[in-house]
Amino acid sequence: MNRHFSLLVLATAFALGGCAASVNRASAPDTPPLRAAAVPTTQVALFITGKPTATHSANWHTFSAEWRTAFQSAASNAGLGFAYFETEPASQPAGTTLVKISVNDYRYLTSGARYGFGVMTGNAFIEADAFFIEMPSKRLLGTRQYTTSSSAWQGIFSAMTDKQVAALSNEIIQDIQRK
């Protein structure tokens, strides 16, 4: 009996843990590295926008809240300050890199939907462009295209939107630190 209980606990832990999301850079191989800012980045500012099909989606506010939460965590883990803006900021102090995310397309799925309905829920995905802007000069440091998706082959273990947004946020913060 204890052995069956142990196996059940282990299976549940794997199911709730889910697989990590992988980020694909859709940028051309010859895309130059991000330019270095005149002042080292100490703060990241986030502004999210997108195509009308994305921003008019019924779950856009939930989706953008996922970005805000994940980006704040990624910035904090990297030792950077964080600010979020509903509209593009006119100015920010020196040392701030504004990341303007433009969502081209996405499919929002929660882990609960995947656990409840399995592969019938379909796949979560995100396709977005990121513009890295040095503040306050508003000099473009570079752009990147990012995509991520889940797979029905992973079943209930596939990464849903929250894990995909977290993976994208971490990758973007790493790109800022590499410049």
Side-chain angles (χ1 to χ4, degrees):
M1 184 68 164
N2 284 340
R3 182 176 176 197
H4 292 302
F5 181 73
S6 296
L7 289 174
L8 178 64
V9 169
L10 185 60
T12 302
F14 279 123
L16 293 176
C19 290
S22 60
V23 176
N24 299 313
R25 286 201 185 126
S27 302
D30 60 341
T31 301
L34 296 177
R35 287 185 221 127
V39 176
T41 300
T42 58
Q43 175 169 293
V44 177
L46 177 65
F47 168 59
I48 302 170
T49 187
K51 291 185 177 179
T53 54
T55 60
H56 292 101
S57 175
N59 49 28
W60 174 255
H61 293 292
T62 305
F63 179 66
S64 59
E66 293 276 3
W67 275 98
R68 183 174 50 247
T69 301
F71 231 87
Q72 182 173 20
S73 176
S76 176
N77 290 340
L80 299 173
F82 174 76
Y84 175 79
F85 295 93
E86 292 285 335
T87 59
E88 191 165 349
S91 183
Q92 282 293 291
T96 301
T97 297
L98 171 65
V99 180
K100 179 180 175 182
I101 303 290
S102 180
V103 178
N104 299 316
D105 199 7
Y106 75 100
R107 180 144 191 261
Y108 187 86
L109 288 175
T110 64
S111 297
R114 175 65 86 189
Y115 298 143
F117 300 105
V119 297
M120 294 185 313
T121 58
N123 294 326
F125 68 88
I126 301 169
E127 297 172 5
D129 297 324
F131 301 85
F132 299 85
I133 303 164
E134 179 180 25
M135 298 300 275
S137 68
K138 295 192 176 184
R139 180 174 69 114
L140 183 65
L141 300 174
T143 62
R144 296 287 180 273
Q145 295 175 327
Y146 299 95
T147 63
T148 186
S149 64
S150 63
S151 169
W153 291 105
Q154 295 171 326
I156 62 170
F157 298 110
S158 65
M160 293 295 97
T161 303
D162 59 341
K163 288 182 176 69
Q164 292 178 2
V165 170
L168 286 167
S169 298
N170 287 326
E171 186 71 23
I172 290 168
I173 293 293
Q174 288 176 7
D175 283 347
I176 290 171
Q177 292 184 313
R178 283 186 205 121
K179 61 179 169 99

